[in-house]
Amino acid sequence: MTTTIVGFPRVGAHRELKFATEKFFRGEISATELQETAKELRQGQWKLIRNAGIDEIPSGDFSLYDQTLDAAVLFGIVPKRYRDLGLTPLETYFAQARGYQGEKGDVKALPMKKWFNTNYHYIEPELEASQTIALTGTQPVDQFLEAKEQGIITRPVVVGPFTLFQLAKKEEGLDEDAAIEALGSAYGELLTKLADAGAHWIQLDEPSLVVDLSEEDLARFTRLYESLLANKGTLKVLVQTYFGDVRDSYDTLTSLPIDGIGLDFVEGRQTLKLVTGSGFPAEKTLFAGVVNGKNIWRNNFAATQELLGRVRDAAATVVLTTSCSLQHVPYSVEYETDLAPKYVKHLAFAVEKLGELTALDRGATDAGLGERDDVTDRKVQKRVAGITESDYHRSPERDKRDRVQREEFQLPLLPTTTIGSFPQTTDVKATRKAYRTGEITAAEYADFNKKKIAECVAWQDQTGLDVIVHGEYERNDMVEYFGQHLDGFLFTRNGWVQSYGTRCVKPPLVWGDVSRPAPITVEWSSYAQSLTEKPVKGMLTGPVTILNWSFPREDISIKESILQIALAIRDEVLDLERAGIRIIQVDEAALREKLPLRRSDWFSEYLDFAIPAFRLVHSGVDATTQIHTHMCYSQFTDILPAIDALDADVITFEASRSDLEILDALVECDFRTNIGPGVYDIHSPRVPSVEEIVTQIKRIATTIDVKKLWVNPDCGLKTRGEEETKKSLTNLVAAAREARDTLRR
Ligand code: GLN
Ligand code: ZN
């Protein structure tokens, strides 16, 4: 069989792209130097994939920031406010991704959204009513030619027109029919150009096909493809899907003159049934995604060969591929020199998965490596089995708690706070590294953190924030930090995965049963509380997020793992309360991550255990203890009742980068939790003005009862610089005061 992959991690083995891009942002290297690094990375990657024995190599899976933004820009979908800045094309590109504040103007970034059910985030394209869609860029052709020069004929990858359109925000007044028509012909033009350049195949990524689709959606898909396929000439078109099955569009896909269809046999529960049941057209190529592009465990070849046998009975031409792009897994196990071989032998990252594809092609049949060591902890399993229904419920009920807490805290109207972390400046990172490598002692490290906490608390006190945080200086990452203090997790040295743009995360691995050997955060929070009269908010990561931002084990259910973690975090909550911490935030930034892509599966397969697991964490606290939670991105309009059922007292979330449409939804569903919709965007270095924040608060207060509102940034500040952070928060406090004065009346 032929082997290929859907895509490869583009940040580089050692995050070279991230570091180069950040240098460019800081003005330390030129655009040309950045492009040089990008080129080296691409070329190194193509060669690596070729040398691993993969037959067909993609190009264009590389991106300087995000592949959806690349596709939008390729077709001229750049909102006017960015075009008007008069920047270079590269600067305009980054202005959309990160906002721009400088000589040429002041524009916010485009919204960033979760890429389906992953922890990757894409930049949401915006179709303005006045939009002209046309092929204006050359990137796929350029990168194809770049590879060709190296003697490699690649298969260019572009986000497909259907997914681009489905994901785009559409301005009112947009003529959708005209946009579809223009998009179809612009993609057609790209196909012609690629064929002229010598390409044999193009891969159009269409993950939007795996969600529930309406007749109208399908008709749109058909129109787009009929139009673009008319211009394909000799070029073969692969429609690549992933993250699920294409039950709604299978018939459409198989009846169109598409040359190849890429299907996910790992996450697509009905994929095999579709292919074996309805049959697969003999004239088409089936790209069978059988190597998991999202997990880090070695493939069970015996099981995969059996699956492949059935696939090959149904389809005449089969190409072996990954279930999705490998951008969702770390680069290579080769760098994991700290992990014992008994662990390492069970792992496969992107590079190793290339080897799995070729091994499968050669007919490898071994059934994995048998039992894993150090997995079971009977005590933990007994504790989970002993959870009763009442453990999932906090009393007294919400309204009563709300009254008690207003009395207890005496906070002003529109209380101000932050989401937890403060800038992780160079000294913070350097000191942590020095501690890790043994250059400084644990005591020296603790002293340093205490010094940072003291400065941070004093600054917040002086600036006038109402609820103080300790700053999270001791944490590298909100999930890894907790994993490191819990039994049952493993950590990688270099297991970085891109989260958005230049931001990468290093998810821990859930290896065995999880428990908490000792308190984790109590010392830091208590120290911070000892320095101020104001309440200090304890800061924890919730069980769902810890699991969703880890690589889960596959021998027990996700539910079982989440409950184990919930019990561990519950112990921490109770210890914080005992230590005098009266406000505790349990972050569930990633609650939505594993929400099934199809609505019909939401409750039965996920929310029915994820929401109670969160309640298990806080149900043991007193009425006077205020529980906060935080979610990144306001993409939960459709699960508001479930969010309310977390039964937290306050929820903060991102709202500044998207429209505040969520507010109407909150009112409509009679949302009861107090809320802090983020009033400014922390994913961008831009400093919001006081007026801007006041306007935002007032806008929010026209919909939401002002008594229920908190004022805060939309996420943690750790990735930001110190100066911009201080300016922004000073403005935030001033804005809250101003809004208080006007809204109280
Ligand atoms: N408390 C965390 C922080 O401030 C929350 C981060 C997040 O939501 N991603 O960093
Ligand atoms: Zn957040």
Side-chain angles (χ1 to χ4, degrees):
M1 276 177 283
T2 305
T3 52
T4 190
I5 55 171
V6 175
F8 202 71
R10 52 208 179 209
V11 284
H14 300 286
R15 292 179 293 157
E16 292 87 343
L17 183 62
K18 167 200 171 69
F19 295 119
T21 312
E22 287 175 348
K23 274 193 190 143
F24 172 70
F25 292 158
R26 290 193 300 264
E28 292 164 21
I29 62 170
S30 67
T32 320
E33 284 168 302
L34 172 62
Q35 298 288 16
E36 265 316 302
T37 306
K39 194 167 167 184
E40 271 166 36
L41 281 167
R42 283 194 293 267
Q43 298 186 354
Q45 183 166 315
W46 292 324
K47 285 190 192 129
L48 177 128
I49 299 169
R50 184 186 58 189
N51 295 345
I54 298 295
D55 303 311
E56 288 179 6
I57 302 171
S59 63
D61 50 342
F62 183 89
S63 173
L64 282 177
Y65 204 92
D66 167 50
Q67 67 266 27
T68 308
L69 179 61
D70 290 354
V73 169
L74 178 64
F75 297 105
I77 305 172
V78 177
K80 184 165 182 304
R81 58 187 183 280
Y82 301 102
R83 277 181 277 135
D84 284 351
L85 291 169
L87 302 167
T88 67
L90 187 67
E91 288 166 342
T92 310
Y93 176 84
F94 285 129
Q96 294 173 81
R98 313 174 63 235
Y100 175 88
Q101 194 167 40
E103 284 158 27
K104 308 232 164 116
D106 186 351
V107 188
K108 285 194 206 173
L110 285 170
M112 190 161 65
K113 298 258 161 101
K114 256 171 55 63
W115 182 241
F116 298 85
N117 54 1
T118 71
N119 179 30
Y120 177 74
H121 304 83
Y122 68 95
I123 302 293
E124 182 181 51
E126 182 178 319
L127 283 166
E128 295 180 310
S130 59
Q131 181 70 57
T132 351
I133 298 172
L135 181 67
T136 53
T138 54
Q139 187 170 294
V141 181
D142 296 345
Q143 291 187 11
F144 173 79
L145 292 174
E146 187 184 314
K148 198 174 165 197
E149 235 167 75
Q150 311 288 305
I152 299 175
I153 298 294
T154 57
R155 180 182 70 243
V157 181
V158 180
V159 171
F162 180 66
T163 298
L164 189 64
F165 187 83
Q166 297 293 88
L167 296 183
K169 186 162 109 190
K170 290 123 195 146
E171 195 189 2
E172 236 181 78
L174 173 78
D175 182 344
E176 296 204 0
D177 271 338
I180 293 289
E181 196 171 316
L183 208 51
S185 59
Y187 270 81
E189 197 183 326
L190 174 68
L191 265 47
T192 310
K193 291 240 160 85
L194 283 171
D196 290 349
H200 306 156
W201 279 91
I202 181 173
Q203 169 182 330
L204 296 172
D205 281 5
E206 294 287 15
S208 282
L209 287 178
V210 309
V211 304
D212 293 324
L213 298 176
S214 64
E215 284 303 319
E216 198 191 338
D217 293 328
L218 283 176
R220 184 179 298 145
F221 178 82
T222 305
R223 263 187 77 190
L224 283 165
Y225 274 81
E226 276 174 350
S227 159
L228 74 87
L229 290 166
N231 290 312
K232 79 186 187 77
T234 54
L235 190 71
K236 292 186 173 173
V237 173
L238 160 63
V239 175
Q240 181 66 51
T241 67
Y242 37 81
F243 305 144
D245 62 60
V246 293
R247 63 188 84 154
D248 319 73
S249 57
Y250 188 74
D251 292 341
T252 311
L253 281 167
T254 46
S255 55
L256 282 166
I258 293 165
D259 305 279
I261 305 176
L263 300 177
D264 179 346
F265 285 85
V266 174
E267 271 191 282
R269 267 176 297 146
Q270 290 191 22
T271 305
L272 184 63
K273 202 175 102 195
L274 287 169
V275 170
T276 53
S278 325
F280 192 84
E283 76 284 2
K284 295 195 198 311
T285 304
L286 172 59
F287 287 70
V290 294
V291 168
N292 193 324
K294 275 182 172 175
N295 79 355
I296 41 77
W297 306 110
R298 284 274 301 263
N299 191 280
N300 177 340
F301 290 146
T304 306
Q305 292 295 9
E306 200 203 296
L307 168 71
L308 273 173
R310 300 179 60 187
V311 173
R312 293 175 72 179
D313 284 343
T317 317
V318 177
V319 172
L320 269 179
T321 186
T322 49
S323 64
C324 61
S325 167
L326 295 172
Q327 80 173 102
H328 307 293
V329 293
Y331 202 85
S332 170
V333 175
E334 184 193 333
Y335 308 106
E336 299 313 322
T337 44
D338 289 351
L339 277 180
K342 68 173 179 181
Y343 300 125
V344 167
K345 68 178 186 193
H346 290 276
L347 305 180
F349 297 173
V351 170
E352 291 72 32
K353 283 174 193 277
L354 301 176
E356 293 190 332
L357 285 162
T358 57
L360 282 166
D361 189 33
R362 285 193 309 269
T365 53
D366 51 297
L369 300 142
E371 289 287 298
R372 295 179 300 127
D373 295 339
D374 314 330
V375 170
T376 313
D377 182 337
R378 298 257 168 262
K379 266 208 334 260
V380 173
Q381 298 188 347
K382 245 181 93 182
R383 205 174 157 202
V384 170
I387 300 172
T388 64
E389 189 48 35
S390 65
D391 294 331
Y392 291 116
H393 298 281
R394 181 176 176 196
S395 64
E397 67 88 44
R398 185 199 302 279
D399 287 347
K400 191 152 176 209
R401 282 181 345 238
D402 194 65
R403 280 195 298 278
V404 173
Q405 290 169 14
R406 282 176 197 275
E407 187 61 29
E408 164 87 8
F409 293 106
Q410 298 288 332
L411 292 166
L413 188 72
L414 297 167
T416 53
T417 191
T418 61
I419 306 305
S421 60
F422 265 66
Q424 295 252 331
T425 39
T426 327
D427 58 331
V428 175
K429 288 188 197 151
T431 311
R432 186 181 309 124
K433 188 165 176 204
Y435 170 54
R436 214 178 45 227
T437 55
E439 280 161 58
I440 60 167
T441 64
E444 284 168 320
Y445 181 55
D447 282 347
F448 172 82
N449 282 327
K450 288 195 166 160
K451 190 185 102 219
K452 293 301 286 189
I453 291 173
E455 283 166 14
C456 184
V457 168
W459 187 84
Q460 291 170 77
D461 235 336
Q462 277 157 25
T463 307
L465 283 136
D466 300 305
V467 172
I468 309 269
V469 297
H470 76 284
E472 300 182 26
Y473 296 107
E474 76 288 3
R475 303 180 192 179
N476 36 358
D477 173 273
M478 64 186 286
V479 168
E480 188 175 57
Y481 178 75
F482 285 91
Q484 274 161 349
H485 290 81
L486 294 171
D487 286 344
F489 284 86
L490 289 183
F491 302 91
T492 61
R493 274 177 74 106
N494 195 51
W496 295 102
V497 179
Q498 188 179 22
S499 171
Y500 67 87
T502 60
R503 175 123 181 86
C504 298
V505 293
K506 194 150 63 68
L509 279 52
V510 186
W511 178 266
D513 291 333
V514 176
S515 61
R516 185 195 74 144
I520 303 170
T521 63
V522 177
E523 185 194 344
W524 308 119
S525 293
S526 309
Y527 176 65
Q529 185 63 82
S530 75
L531 303 170
T532 175
E533 294 299 314
K534 291 185 176 163
V536 166
K537 180 158 68 163
M539 204 52 67
L540 306 176
T541 304
V544 184
T545 296
I546 292 184
L547 188 96
N548 285 358
W549 280 351
S550 301
F551 287 110
R553 48 196 277 210
E554 293 180 347
D555 58 329
I556 63 170
S557 68
I558 301 265
K559 173 183 173 181
E560 182 87 6
S561 276
I562 288 182
L563 288 177
Q564 292 181 359
I565 303 168
L567 288 172
I569 302 298
R570 177 185 171 94
D571 294 344
E572 185 71 12
V573 165
L574 293 172
D575 279 339
L576 280 171
E577 185 182 51
R578 220 165 285 138
I581 302 300
R582 300 180 302 153
I583 301 185
I584 301 169
Q585 176 171 314
V586 183
D587 288 324
E588 281 295 15
L591 183 78
R592 216 195 145 98
E593 207 118 308
K594 285 200 163 59
L595 189 69
L597 292 173
R598 291 176 189 273
R599 202 175 264 262
S600 41
D601 301 333
W602 281 2
F603 283 89
S604 57
E605 293 197 5
Y606 184 65
L607 294 172
D608 283 351
F609 62 82
I611 303 296
F614 181 87
R615 290 201 304 262
L616 181 61
V617 169
H618 69 88
S619 63
V621 299
D622 289 336
T624 44
T625 299
Q626 190 169 70
I627 298 294
H628 288 214
T629 188
H630 165 73
M631 289 184 57
C632 299
Y633 315 105
S634 50
Q635 275 173 297
F636 47 82
T637 318
D638 42 8
I639 52 167
L640 287 178
I643 303 295
D644 226 9
L646 293 171
D647 203 24
D649 300 304
V650 181
I651 178 169
T652 57
F653 54 87
E654 193 243 89
S656 67
R657 232 177 163 180
S658 39
D659 324 314
L660 292 169
E661 67 211 19
I662 182 157
L663 300 178
D664 295 323
L666 288 167
V667 175
E668 226 162 86
C669 85
D670 189 25
F671 196 73
R672 296 171 67 208
T673 318
N674 294 303
I675 61 170
V679 293
Y680 81 87
D681 175 19
I682 66 91
H683 304 87
S684 137
R686 201 178 154 271
V687 174
S689 67
V690 177
E691 301 76 65
E692 191 178 324
I693 302 177
V694 171
T695 311
Q696 183 82 339
I697 298 173
K698 286 188 178 162
R699 216 171 121 207
I700 296 168
T702 55
T703 322
I704 308 287
D705 177 3
V706 67
K707 286 200 280 308
K708 292 186 67 154
L709 279 179
W710 285 65
V711 174
N712 44 264
D714 64 10
C715 197
L717 302 164
K718 69 185 236 191
T719 57
R720 292 275 60 92
E722 198 155 35
E723 212 186 291
E724 76 217 26
T725 297
K726 287 188 168 170
K727 282 188 192 153
S728 301
L729 290 178
T730 306
N731 289 355
L732 177 139
V733 170
R737 287 185 177 149
E738 196 179 320
R740 244 169 235 167
D741 288 342
T742 45
L743 293 171
R744 193 178 283 123
R745 285 177 228 139

